[in-house]
Amino acid sequence: MNPFDVLKNLNMGSMKENLEKMQGELVAMEATGSSGGNIVRVTMNGKMEITRIQLDPICVDPRDIKMLEDLIVAAHHDAMSKIQEQIKEKYGSLLGGANFPGLNL
């Protein structure tokens, strides 16, 4: 099959509408990752943007900044895994196994 024939048959208007809808849904999608027994929480949306960081005051020790940095990174990774799983569940069949950087579908 000629790939250009497939492209000719695509309804570009419908595809554009679907992509715009998907982008809106990604912004609304949210996941929170945590670390250190939930003392650090990072929330991100489906566009992989961090929207909130919550720190329990107990983890803020000026003598151990390195530990806090590690907890934030771990919570970020947890949130990213959760949001990727949500995207995979919602759009995995739509994306047909396409590999988009950062999504690991």
Side-chain angles (χ1 to χ4, degrees), residues 15-34:
M15 185 188 300
K16 182 179 177 187
E17 288 173 14
N18 287 340
L19 286 173
E20 288 172 355
K21 179 182 175 191
M22 188 174 159
Q23 286 178 337
E25 290 172 348
L26 288 173
V27 170
M29 194 176 285
E30 184 177 271
T32 300
S34 66

Side-chain angles (χ1 to χ4, degrees), residues 6-48:
V6 174
L7 289 174
K8 285 182 206 174
N9 294 329
L10 288 176
N11 181 343
M12 297 307 280
S14 176
M15 185 188 300
K16 182 179 177 187
E17 288 173 14
N18 287 340
L19 286 173
E20 288 172 355
K21 179 182 175 191
M22 188 174 159
Q23 286 178 337
E25 290 172 348
L26 288 173
V27 170
M29 194 176 285
E30 184 177 271
T32 300
S34 66
S35 65
N38 213 30
I39 62 173
V40 174
R41 292 180 300 281
V42 173
T43 302
M44 65 177 15
N45 64 25
K47 292 179 77 175
M48 304 299 170

Side-chain angles (χ1 to χ4, degrees), residues 11-100:
N11 181 343
M12 297 307 280
S14 176
M15 185 188 300
K16 182 179 177 187
E17 288 173 14
N18 287 340
L19 286 173
E20 288 172 355
K21 179 182 175 191
M22 188 174 159
Q23 286 178 337
E25 290 172 348
L26 288 173
V27 170
M29 194 176 285
E30 184 177 271
T32 300
S34 66
S35 65
N38 213 30
I39 62 173
V40 174
R41 292 180 300 281
V42 173
T43 302
M44 65 177 15
N45 64 25
K47 292 179 77 175
M48 304 299 170
E49 299 167 335
I50 295 175
T51 58
R52 185 175 186 185
I53 295 177
Q54 297 168 284
L55 305 174
D56 186 309
I58 196 168
C59 73
V60 182
D61 181 353
R63 297 167 297 179
D64 198 358
I65 298 298
K66 181 67 178 142
M67 180 197 68
L68 179 56
E69 292 169 346
D70 291 344
L71 288 171
I72 291 170
V73 169
H76 175 261
H77 287 292
D78 188 36
M80 189 175 300
S81 293
K82 289 177 180 178
I83 204 73
Q84 287 174 339
E85 188 60 34
Q86 285 183 33
I87 292 169
K88 185 177 181 178
E89 287 175 16
K90 185 160 183 134
Y91 301 111
S93 61
L94 176 69
L95 297 174
N99 187 16
F100 292 96

